[in-house]
């Protein structure tokens, strides 16, 4: 039967103890309830949750499900449109073919591997600058001092945000991605509105004054006479900020924490830095930032992994749970920087595979190279049990990561 508020079990993915360690719950769900009914406490609506690797892979490609809220009845569209951010809701993650095919084809022309690779020297220099600033203090919050500023600086420069605007740009992003305190939603909405207004003006500026940046490139791409609309451009930039910034923050901080928790693996990287790209893939699997995907909506009644799904039901996949599935990954709870093969799902699956995956991996690889080379005495500055995790069940990340860099 279709889940509803009265029948959905109490799998509380948002409970503090689950946020601190979700893996026992995920193992239980994979083994006992792989298509579970879960209540979303924010919308007060149930959804179906998938946690097994093979189910996630197959469901990501299932044409009976849509990512596009516009294909739902009007009364349901209102619940999933995201309030006032209408201008930003036509990005790749909420599109189906043929719209998705068209927009991704255009975006790929601008966001090329060559453009990403050209960032290597600048990212390396940024990593060194941030690390030396931390090192001089002897200790620091790694999230605030390194993991947050690195990707936001890279994204700002990639987009072409002028130097004089970057401090304000960073402030808007920081507010937007900070979990709201009581009454803090108004400040977040205000920051989003101001960011949106800035981006609209910036796009118009680049129409008049093209530069060697990604926004100019996105404006220029054309295929068979087709171009990205202003709404699609805004949504694409917004997606880059979300996927290219927030997730990278947590890849860096979660990964640093796990290397400190697994000193034998950290030592392997110190002895052989050529293993760092492999380590990045393993950290993406083991402690990657993405847990819940965005909702997919059933277009019809059908059966999913033995569970009857009704038209318009919401289905979400848990990437982190799938990446710990023993049927796909031998000894999945062991961090192994030499793991091969490692077909993790941290960047999604199918047509919605992350467009910016190469940039995220490049940033992580260069960051860990610098950290491992220059911080031989790196250690946690607080007991692990004092670390606080974000309340979100969609993106897993630390609030703070206090580190010490001096010899004990």
């Amino acid at each position: 039967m279709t889940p509803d508020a009265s029948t959905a079990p109490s799998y509380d993915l948002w409970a503090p103890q689950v946020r601190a360690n979700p893996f026992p719950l995920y193992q239980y769900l994979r083994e006992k309830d792989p298509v579970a009914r879960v209540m979303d406490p924010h919308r007060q609506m149930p959804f179906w949750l998938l946690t097994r690797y093979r189910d996630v892979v197959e469901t990501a490609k299932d044409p009976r499900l849509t990512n596009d809220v516009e294909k739902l009845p009007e009364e349901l569209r209102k619940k999933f449109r995201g309030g006032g951010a209408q201008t930003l809701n036509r990005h790749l993650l909420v599109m189906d073919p043929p719209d998705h095919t068209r927009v991704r084809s255009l975006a790929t022309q601008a966001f090329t591997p060559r453009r990403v690779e050209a960032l290597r020297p600048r990212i390396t220099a940024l990593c060194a600058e941030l690390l030396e600033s931390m090192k001089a203090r002897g200790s620091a919050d790694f999230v605030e001092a390194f993991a947050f500023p690195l990707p936001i600086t890279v994204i700002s420069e990639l987009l072409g945000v002028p130097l004089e605007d970057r401090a304000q740009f960073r402030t808007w992003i920081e507010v937007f991605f900070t979990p709201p305190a009581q009454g803090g939603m108004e400040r977040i909405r205000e920051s989003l509105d101001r960011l949106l207004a800035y981006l609209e003006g910036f796009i118009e500026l680049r129409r008049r004054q093209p530069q060697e940046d990604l926004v100019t490139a996105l404006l220029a791409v054309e295929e068979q006479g087709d171009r990205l609309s202003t709404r699609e451009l805004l949504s694409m930039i917004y997606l880059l900020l979300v996927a290219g910034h927030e997730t990278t923050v947590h890849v860096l901080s979660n990964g640093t924490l796990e290397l400190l928790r697994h000193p034998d693996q950290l030592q392997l990287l110190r002895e052989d830095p050529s293993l760092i790209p492999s380590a990045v893939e393993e950290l993406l699997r083991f402690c990657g930032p993405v847990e819940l995907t965005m909702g997919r909506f059933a277009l019809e009644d059908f059966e999913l992994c033995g569970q009857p799904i009704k038209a318009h039901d919401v289905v979400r996949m848990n990437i982190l749970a799938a990446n710990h599935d023993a049927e796909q990954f031998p000894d999945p709870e062991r961090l192994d920087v030499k793991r091969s093969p490692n077909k993790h799902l941290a960047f999604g699956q199918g047509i919605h595979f992350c467009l910016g995956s190469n940039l995220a991996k490049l940033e992580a690889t260069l960051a860990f190279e610098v950290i491992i080379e220059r911080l031989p005495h790196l250690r946690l500055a607080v007991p692990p049990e004092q670390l606080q995790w974000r309340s979100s069940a969609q993106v897993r990340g630390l609030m703070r990561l206090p580190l010490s860099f001096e010899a004990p």
Side-chain angles (χ1 to χ4, degrees):
M1 59 186 281
T2 301
D4 58 39
S6 63
T7 61
S10 56
Y11 294 131
D12 188 357
L13 275 62
W14 292 262
Q17 65 272 21
V18 175
R19 292 296 84 229
N21 181 17
F23 301 106
L25 174 59
Y26 293 164
Q27 181 177 352
Y28 175 86
L29 289 171
R30 283 193 305 268
E31 294 175 356
K32 305 294 186 182
D33 201 358
V35 187
R37 292 176 293 183
V38 175
M39 177 60 65
D40 182 336
H42 304 293
R43 288 195 171 97
Q44 285 300 301
M45 292 181 65
F47 61 90
W48 296 104
L49 177 65
L50 276 61
T51 48
R52 295 188 304 198
Y53 184 96
R54 68 175 182 271
D55 296 341
V56 168
V57 169
E58 292 171 3
T59 303
K61 304 173 184 177
D62 196 322
R64 297 170 298 181
L65 294 160
T66 179
N67 286 43
D68 192 347
V69 69
E70 298 303 320
K71 294 182 179 179
L72 299 178
E74 179 59 30
E75 66 272 15
L76 287 175
R77 286 185 226 167
K78 295 177 182 178
K79 296 181 180 180
F80 293 102
R81 274 176 172 158
Q86 293 304 298
T87 311
L88 303 176
N89 68 0
R90 292 310 294 164
H91 55 73
L92 289 171
L93 295 184
V94 295
M95 286 182 174
D96 293 335
D99 290 340
H100 180 279
T101 307
R102 180 185 68 83
V103 172
R104 187 172 182 115
S105 176
L106 289 167
T108 301
Q109 293 180 44
F111 199 69
T112 61
R114 182 178 180 181
R115 183 180 294 275
V116 170
E117 183 57 30
L119 295 170
R120 180 181 292 270
R122 179 59 179 143
I123 295 173
T124 300
L126 280 170
C127 289
E129 290 170 17
L130 292 169
L131 186 141
E132 290 305 316
S133 177
M134 286 195 309
K135 194 175 178 182
R137 286 177 271 168
S139 63
D141 171 16
F142 182 78
V143 176
E144 179 183 24
F146 190 97
F148 186 95
L150 175 63
I152 194 59
T153 303
V154 172
I155 288 290
S156 298
E157 295 184 4
L158 180 66
L159 292 173
V161 176
L163 187 62
E164 61 270 21
D165 294 343
R166 286 180 191 166
Q168 181 60 74
F169 193 75
R170 173 177 171 169
T171 299
W172 288 328
I173 301 299
E174 191 168 20
V175 171
F176 183 65
F177 286 125
T178 299
Q182 186 171 6
M185 284 305 299
E186 184 57 39
R187 185 164 177 248
I188 290 175
R189 281 191 290 267
E190 181 182 340
S191 290
L192 181 58
D193 289 342
R194 291 185 177 184
L195 174 64
L196 178 58
Y198 175 84
L199 291 174
E200 287 175 334
F202 184 59
I203 287 171
E204 291 309 309
L205 176 66
R206 283 295 175 260
R207 289 190 200 276
R208 300 190 306 270
Q209 301 175 14
Q211 301 289 332
E212 293 295 324
D213 57 43
L214 183 60
V215 171
T216 300
L218 287 168
L219 282 166
V221 292
E222 185 173 356
E223 186 172 291
Q224 297 180 349
D226 191 21
R227 292 178 181 269
L228 293 168
S229 69
T230 297
R231 184 183 179 192
E232 289 166 347
L233 274 166
L234 285 167
S235 295
M236 179 65 65
I237 295 169
Y238 171 73
L239 179 60
L240 284 171
L241 289 170
V242 174
H245 170 259
E246 189 180 25
T247 54
T248 304
V249 171
H250 302 314
V251 168
L252 295 173
S253 52
N254 295 0
T256 298
L257 173 62
E258 292 305 334
L259 288 175
L260 292 172
R261 283 175 164 173
H262 298 82
D264 59 322
Q265 300 300 295
L266 179 57
Q267 185 59 33
L268 282 175
L269 300 182
R270 294 195 191 282
E271 293 171 356
D272 184 1
S274 71
L275 290 172
I276 291 176
S278 172
V280 168
E281 300 289 354
E282 175 66 348
L283 292 168
L284 285 163
R285 180 198 72 82
F286 189 81
C287 57
V290 180
E291 289 190 57
L292 295 181
T293 64
M294 299 179 69
R296 301 198 74 202
F297 306 96
L299 294 170
E300 59 189 64
D301 294 354
F302 67 98
E303 188 173 284
L304 179 62
C305 309
Q307 190 71 262
I309 306 296
K310 294 295 184 181
H312 310 144
D313 279 0
V314 182
V315 177
R316 302 181 74 177
M317 295 162 280
N318 194 303
I319 299 297
L320 191 59
N323 280 340
H324 282 252
D325 190 337
E327 290 190 10
Q328 175 68 25
F329 303 99
D331 199 4
E333 303 307 323
R334 178 172 63 90
L335 182 69
D336 179 7
V337 298
K338 295 182 178 180
R339 187 182 293 273
S340 182
N342 193 348
K343 295 182 179 180
H344 63 76
L345 303 176
F347 292 116
Q349 181 70 16
I351 64 169
H352 294 289
F353 186 83
C354 178
L355 187 66
S357 60
N358 287 340
L359 177 59
K361 288 195 282 190
L362 179 63
E363 289 183 70
T365 298
L366 296 177
F368 285 121
E369 284 178 357
V370 172
I371 290 166
I372 288 166
E373 176 188 356
R374 302 195 186 192
L375 296 178
H377 305 298
L378 182 65
R379 68 185 191 280
L380 277 173
V382 297
E385 58 271 17
Q386 290 185 13
L387 295 173
Q388 291 187 317
W389 293 85
R390 291 168 59 93
S391 59
S392 171
Q394 186 162 332
V395 177
R396 177 166 167 77
L398 291 156
M399 297 290 290
R400 299 176 65 247
L401 182 60
L403 300 179
S404 175
F405 317 117
E406 297 178 337

